[in-house]
Amino acid sequence: MSEFFDPQLIRAADPAQFWLFASVAWAAALAGIAGLVYFFRRLRFIEDTPQSLIRSAAQGYVELQGSCKLMPGTPIIAPLTRQPCAWWAYRIEQHVGSGRNRRWQTLRSEVSGELFLIEDETGACVVDPDQADVYPSQNDTWYGNSSFPEGGPGMGIMSIGAQYRYVERRMQDGDPLYALGFFHTQGPVTAGDIDEEVRQQLVEWKRDQAWLKQHFDTNHDGQVDPQEWEAAQREARRLVLEREREAMARPPVSMLSRPRDDRPFILSTLPQRKLETRLKLYLAASLLLFFCAGSYGSYLLNVRFSSVPPGAAAAP
């Protein structure tokens, strides 16, 4: 490691090698800045957003705390461990390269998009986890020599010599859940909503001209004339209104999802205080990375291009 700090070696280094080290140092410093911004914003929104109860939550950006619950119907099964859960994410990595260039390369990864519930003492809300920052309760890592695990955690081989690494993260039914996101309750539709649904229905019919002519070309001249198109519009509105009447007969459904702007969407099985502590640690690590990498990058440039050799005495 000493060669990376020896002024003479830095001055004598091949230009390509020097600029590689300098680029890596400044890229790490930029990553530190990005981490500072990323984690600071999340901390600010967590600390500044007041907690709401599901029953009385306002429409918009809210903070909820409750427990994770499965919805009725088909169970959610994690792909690698085959365990039932509320949310999962996995990746399978392969050991590639040789010697000092060996590294883990991701072969495939996937994140669950199934809906589940957050429930508190006042009610329940559907959670759409798409594009959420998730801090789950279960994090499993194990190893094997096949591109898909033949067993779950504890049944794989040791990491030394393994060709594949399997990583799976899960939120379980019943886990405590902290959530920060966009809260919306599906209520009665407006006339504009109905008009848009009618338009979408007509666009769908127009894509299938054979079907359209079969159902609305009443004079069988091979085309849908203006009078026949008006009949299609009336039928589309009737179908849309029928669907909306059926929807209004069902109770309103509240949903938590990704905000429409760039505010963070967070799902965490950690309590709020522990989540804040973890984000502060990440923030401190980002600051340390920025300071160390930036200092080293500046040191490299200073040594390489300084007109006075390091350690040289000043002239009297």
Side-chain angles (χ1 to χ4, degrees):
M1 291 293 292
S2 60
E3 65 269 20
F4 299 122
F5 295 92
D6 188 315
Q8 293 183 348
L9 293 178
I10 293 173
R11 284 177 173 273
D14 178 76
Q17 184 182 31
F18 169 80
W19 286 114
L20 174 63
F21 278 103
S23 299
V24 169
W26 285 109
L30 291 175
I33 293 177
L36 285 170
V37 174
Y38 180 88
F39 296 117
F40 178 78
R41 287 188 74 251
R42 275 148 182 75
L43 269 173
R44 183 171 66 84
F45 279 109
I46 290 172
E47 293 172 345
D48 293 350
T49 306
Q51 183 179 340
S52 301
L53 295 174
I54 292 175
R55 180 179 296 171
S56 57
Q59 304 292 293
Y61 197 64
V62 300
E63 174 185 284
L64 303 175
Q65 294 204 48
S67 58
C68 189
K69 296 293 182 183
L70 295 177
M71 298 180 67
T74 305
I76 301 172
I77 303 296
L80 302 189
T81 60
R82 307 306 301 167
Q83 293 188 21
C85 59
W87 176 92
W88 52 261
Y90 80 86
R91 69 179 184 271
I92 298 176
E93 301 169 320
Q94 184 178 17
H95 222 175
V96 298
S98 59
R100 298 177 61 180
N101 294 323
R102 284 182 67 82
R103 68 189 188 280
W104 291 106
Q105 177 177 288
T106 299
L107 293 182
R108 59 181 178 272
S109 62
E110 194 173 356
V111 179
S112 168
E114 286 92 342
L115 305 179
F116 56 89
L117 300 173
I118 179 172
E119 185 177 85
D120 66 13
E121 63 271 21
T122 67
C125 171
V126 177
V127 177
D128 179 358
D130 183 43
Q131 299 185 53
D133 296 329
V134 181
Y135 299 84
S137 58
Q138 303 295 318
N139 291 272
D140 291 322
T141 301
W142 69 108
Y143 301 84
N145 283 319
S146 59
S147 59
F148 195 86
E150 297 174 350
M155 299 182 65
I157 64 175
M158 297 294 291
S159 60
I160 300 176
Q163 293 299 309
Y164 296 91
R165 180 167 66 184
Y166 321 111
V167 181
E168 187 175 85
R169 305 160 61 225
R170 298 182 305 279
M171 285 198 300
Q172 305 293 137
D173 182 29
D175 279 346
L177 184 59
Y178 169 88
L180 188 68
F182 182 74
F183 183 86
H184 172 66
T185 301
Q186 182 65 48
V189 296
T190 65
D193 294 330
I194 291 176
D195 290 342
E196 176 60 21
E197 289 192 41
V198 171
R199 190 187 71 81
Q200 292 292 340
Q201 181 67 78
L202 290 169
V203 168
E204 182 180 340
W205 285 350
K206 287 179 72 174
R207 291 196 186 103
D208 190 346
Q209 286 292 317
W211 186 93
L212 187 67
K213 294 173 183 177
Q214 179 183 351
H215 288 80
F216 296 105
D217 181 17
T218 54
N219 59 10
H220 306 290
D221 63 352
Q223 60 182 4
V224 177
D225 58 36
Q227 291 78 16
E228 293 164 342
W229 181 244
E230 288 181 8
Q233 291 176 314
R234 290 193 297 270
E235 177 62 14
R237 181 169 292 273
R238 185 191 69 79
L239 290 175
V240 167
L241 290 174
E242 183 178 330
R243 287 198 298 264
E244 293 302 336
R245 281 193 293 269
E246 293 175 357
M248 291 177 68
R250 297 190 293 268
V253 175
S254 296
M255 177 170 287
L256 190 76
S257 60
R258 181 178 64 86
R260 296 185 176 95
D261 52 25
D262 65 344
R263 287 177 292 184
F265 179 27
I266 297 174
L267 302 173
S268 172
T269 58
L270 295 173
Q272 180 178 349
R273 294 305 174 196
K274 289 187 177 181
L275 178 60
E276 290 176 357
T277 300
R278 178 175 292 190
L279 291 176
K280 287 175 182 176
L281 290 174
Y282 292 159
L283 189 65
S286 298
L287 180 61
L288 182 63
L289 176 63
F290 166 70
F291 177 78
C292 293
S295 297
Y296 181 62
S298 298
Y299 172 75
L300 287 175
L301 294 176
N302 182 59
V303 170
R304 182 81 173 192
F305 299 106
S306 174
S307 59
V308 179

